[in-house]
Amino acid sequence: MLTLHFRPWDVHDVAVLLSSALYVCHIAGAISIQSDLHSLIRSVQEDVFFSVNVTCRGIPTIQWTFISSSVRRSIGAWQPGGFTNITEDYSSRVQAHHNGSMGLSDLRLQDGGYYVVTVTDGTGNSKDAGFVLKVNEVLYEDLQYLSVSALALGCLAGLLMLGMWLTNKAYRRIAAWRRRKQMPENDVTELQPL
Ligand SMILES: *[C@@H]1O[C@H](CO)[C@@H](O)[C@H](O)[C@H]1NC(C)=O
Ligand SMILES: *[C@@H]1O[C@H](CO)[C@@H](O)[C@H](O)[C@H]1NC(C)=O
């Protein structure tokens, strides 16, 4: 009797438990950070765009943090349609977007590292997403290498031309000297019979 009476209640309890668990999951998952690329490679002086689309209940607070092996610093925080607070070091290079995206321009070598976006909703729940940025100076080195090789080639061409000019001059001198040396003999030989 008792067991028969309780079984429906058990099922109901399970259903309530399940739905409340789903509800909790739904609340915890209320913040979403969508993004495609999490690993980016740029060169010095280029720009980078960390593209995300943030959604949550209420107005999100977006916070970007830079982390490298040696430092961890706040880049800035903002609310769509609300405040924007960018750290002084970054103020001229950072563009804050309503969907949480951040643009960083005029990259330096030291900008290479991890970028973490933290989204906090009105109830204090938060969620993170991370990006890796690699900043190359290869293009720069290539340019330097190119200009150095161009300079070396220019010098070589100059030396070759100087060498050719000197050889030409020396040849003319030798030829003139030979002519001069031969002339008196000729004169002598020509004069002798006279
Ligand atoms: C976020 O917004 C920016 C400009 O407003 C846009 O370029 C970018 O594609 C958006 N990102 C996503 C993931 O929707
Ligand atoms: C802006 O950010 C800096 C550093 O993160 C903080 O010290 C300052 O209180 C913030 N200002 C506002 C108005 O939120």
Side-chain angles (χ1 to χ4, degrees), residues 48-66:
V48 68
F49 189 75
F50 298 102
S51 182
V52 295
N53 194 22
V54 165
T55 50
C56 78
R57 280 151 193 261
I59 298 168
T61 303
I62 293 139
Q63 159 83 50
W64 280 90
T65 309
F66 171 71

Side-chain angles (χ1 to χ4, degrees), residues 74 83 85 87:
S74 167
F83 74 94
N85 183 12
T87 312

Side-chain angles (χ1 to χ4, degrees), residues 134-154:
K134 193 170 183 289
V135 181
N136 287 329
E137 59 167 349
V138 174
L139 193 67
Y140 237 53
E141 277 174 357
D142 278 356
L143 279 178
Q144 271 174 357
Y145 175 75
L146 267 181
S147 59
V148 165
S149 4
L151 194 70
L153 276 177

Side-chain angles (χ1 to χ4, degrees), residues 63-67 71-77 85-90:
Q63 159 83 50
W64 280 90
T65 309
F66 171 71
I67 302 165
V71 294
R72 180 198 172 95
R73 61 171 165 257
S74 167
I75 297 171
N85 183 12
I86 307 292
T87 312
E88 211 179 310
D89 296 350
Y90 284 99

Side-chain angles (χ1 to χ4, degrees), residues 83-98:
F83 74 94
T84 302
N85 183 12
I86 307 292
T87 312
E88 211 179 310
D89 296 350
Y90 284 99
S91 57
S92 60
R93 299 198 293 141
V94 163
Q95 302 93 45
H97 294 271
H98 281 188

